[in-house]
Amino acid sequence: MFHIYCPHCAEYREEEEFHAKGQAHIARPLDPEACSDKEWGEYLFFRKNPRGLHHELWVHAAGCRKFFNMTRDTQTYEIKEVYKIGEQPSVVAE
Amino acid sequence: MSDLNVMTPEESAATKAAVMNQVPGPEVEGQSPLHHADLESLAQQGPKSGGVHLRELKLLGHLTLRCNAENAEQLAAVERVLGVALPLQPLTSAENGAYSIRWMSPDEWLILVPGLETFDIETRFRDEMPGHYSLVNSSGGSTVLELSGENALEVLMKSTPVDLHPKVFPVGKVVSTVFAKSGAIIRRSGEQRYELIIRRSFADYIWLWLQDASREYGLVVEA
Ligand SMILES: [Zn+2]
């Protein structure tokens, strides 16, 4: 089980209270009408699946119900940091 | 145009937002989600001593307020209506007599008030609150259980993964969390007293769960 720090509640809670919502920092195309099928398809369906550092979106589903970002090592499961939506990660892959 | 000064609270509220008084009045008997459990009879006939005391705080008014914690005018308006400031620190609560406010999220608070005052308070919010906000009467969706006694903490520890140790869970702290495979908002309302806000549809299940979880300590039902 993860022990996850919620940056909104400002304390650690059990993983059971959270849901992982996939890759973070996926920007919606500013002009969807101008996207090619390939660009739109990649925006909708294509996700990273790294072995190592991954930036993920999580939601404190049973708690404050707010979303936040997490940088996690998918190999060791170590959580490197959590940060709010709109902020940039300080731990990044080389 | 009708004169705002001679309107009834209901008429004036209707000009501001789609609100209605959900409680028909004191003459109509309300039934809590645990009506069928007949806690009154259990309180009379059941054991009078035990490690866990349970009481339903039924038919309260539950108001969900969402507003901007950085808007000083909104904060002042809340204080005018409830006589107590919104708790801005995460996981804290505030009280003024029968009114209590729980921090739920950085922009959301749950306010409990006496059931028959709910519409009046809602109306005063519509009068006082400036700017963009939301106030929803969710009274019918939940009920409140109060657990107290020397083993109340043990019963909660069986039911939720939240760390309830008194060192990290002082009186007044409030958390929304998973509880017995359902969910609950837990608030420590006294040294050995905890308040659970639970979903209406889970009320019977939680009631059965709490009876089972408190059996080894002895359960005293109060009404
Ligand atoms: Zn949270």
Side-chain angles (χ1 to χ4, degrees):
Chain A
M1 289 285 281
F2 286 135
H3 207 205
I4 299 172
Y5 185 85
C6 172
H8 303 287
C9 292
E11 72 172 19
Y12 284 90
R13 298 286 188 84
E14 287 293 328
E15 181 184 350
E16 201 182 338
E17 292 188 8
F18 298 84
H19 287 311
K21 304 298 278 186
Q23 185 184 328
H25 304 294
I26 298 171
R28 183 183 168 86
L30 289 174
D31 186 3
E33 300 294 329
C35 283
S36 66
D37 284 354
K38 182 169 185 291
E39 285 166 339
W40 188 247
E42 282 177 358
Y43 160 68
L44 277 186
F45 303 116
F46 283 73
R47 297 294 179 259
K48 288 178 182 156
N49 185 21
R51 177 175 175 175
L53 284 189
H54 193 214
H55 304 294
E56 299 171 332
L57 188 63
W58 284 69
V59 60
H60 193 183
C64 62
R65 308 189 310 288
K66 292 284 182 199
F67 286 78
F68 61 93
N69 295 319
M70 176 192 295
T71 305
R72 192 173 66 87
D73 188 316
T74 59
Q75 191 173 2
T76 63
Y77 281 21
E78 187 192 349
I79 297 171
K80 300 290 188 183
E81 65 174 338
V82 295
Y83 52 102
K84 290 181 183 170
I85 303 292
E87 294 175 355
Q88 291 301 312
S90 64
V91 182
V92 291
E94 284 111 50
Chain B
M1 284 289 284
S2 55
D3 185 350
L4 284 170
N5 294 318
V6 298
M7 289 170 110
T8 65
E10 285 80 2
E11 286 167 343
S12 116
T15 65
K16 297 187 182 95
V19 290
M20 58 171 278
N21 192 351
Q22 298 181 9
V23 180
E27 65 284 359
V28 178
E29 188 209 3
Q31 294 189 348
S32 92
L34 289 177
H35 179 76
H36 63 285
D38 193 9
L39 300 181
E40 281 82 3
S41 300
L42 291 176
Q44 279 168 14
Q45 294 152 18
K48 297 286 182 282
S49 70
V52 183
H53 292 240
L54 182 145
R55 165 166 92 107
E56 187 188 10
L57 307 177
K58 63 183 179 183
L59 305 177
L60 294 176
H62 298 229
L63 296 171
T64 293
L65 173 67
R66 302 200 63 177
C67 65
N68 181 356
E70 281 158 20
N71 183 329
E73 287 179 23
Q74 290 189 336
L75 298 183
V78 174
E79 207 167 340
R80 282 199 299 279
V81 174
L82 296 173
V84 60
L86 277 185
L88 300 180
Q89 287 300 315
L91 312 178
T92 59
S93 62
E95 274 184 10
N96 173 27
Y99 305 156
S100 55
I101 316 177
R102 286 144 204 77
W103 183 98
M104 298 303 300
S105 153
D107 55 7
E108 181 179 336
W109 293 264
L110 179 61
I111 302 165
L112 293 196
V113 300
L116 293 174
E117 285 184 43
T118 316
F119 185 60
D120 180 45
I121 288 168
E122 228 181 317
T123 306
R124 280 160 59 202
F125 265 107
R126 306 281 173 213
D127 290 337
E128 298 279 350
M129 280 293 269
H132 183 61
Y133 74 99
S134 143
L135 184 74
V136 176
N137 182 340
S138 57
S139 310
S142 318
T143 191
V144 185
L145 296 178
E146 187 186 80
L147 281 185
S148 57
E150 56 183 325
N151 299 113
L153 181 58
E154 274 89 345
V155 170
L156 295 182
M157 284 164 64
K158 292 185 193 182
S159 315
T160 174
V162 163
D163 187 354
L164 294 162
H165 193 284
K167 264 191 203 157
V168 292
F169 210 98
V171 174
K173 182 167 176 175
V174 48
V175 296
S176 173
T177 183
V178 286
F179 188 91
K181 298 176 202 167
S182 169
I185 299 160
I186 306 173
R187 175 169 169 256
R188 187 169 174 206
S189 50
E191 276 306 314
Q192 290 186 329
R193 200 168 70 232
Y194 296 85
E195 164 206 278
L196 302 177
I197 302 179
I198 54 170
R199 289 287 182 174
R200 167 178 207 97
S201 52
F202 283 94
D204 183 59
Y205 164 73
I206 298 279
W207 156 237
L208 295 174
W209 173 283
L210 291 174
Q211 287 177 81
D212 190 46
S214 56
R215 185 157 297 153
E216 60 178 301
Y217 313 109
L219 177 64
V220 183
V221 175
E222 295 174 350

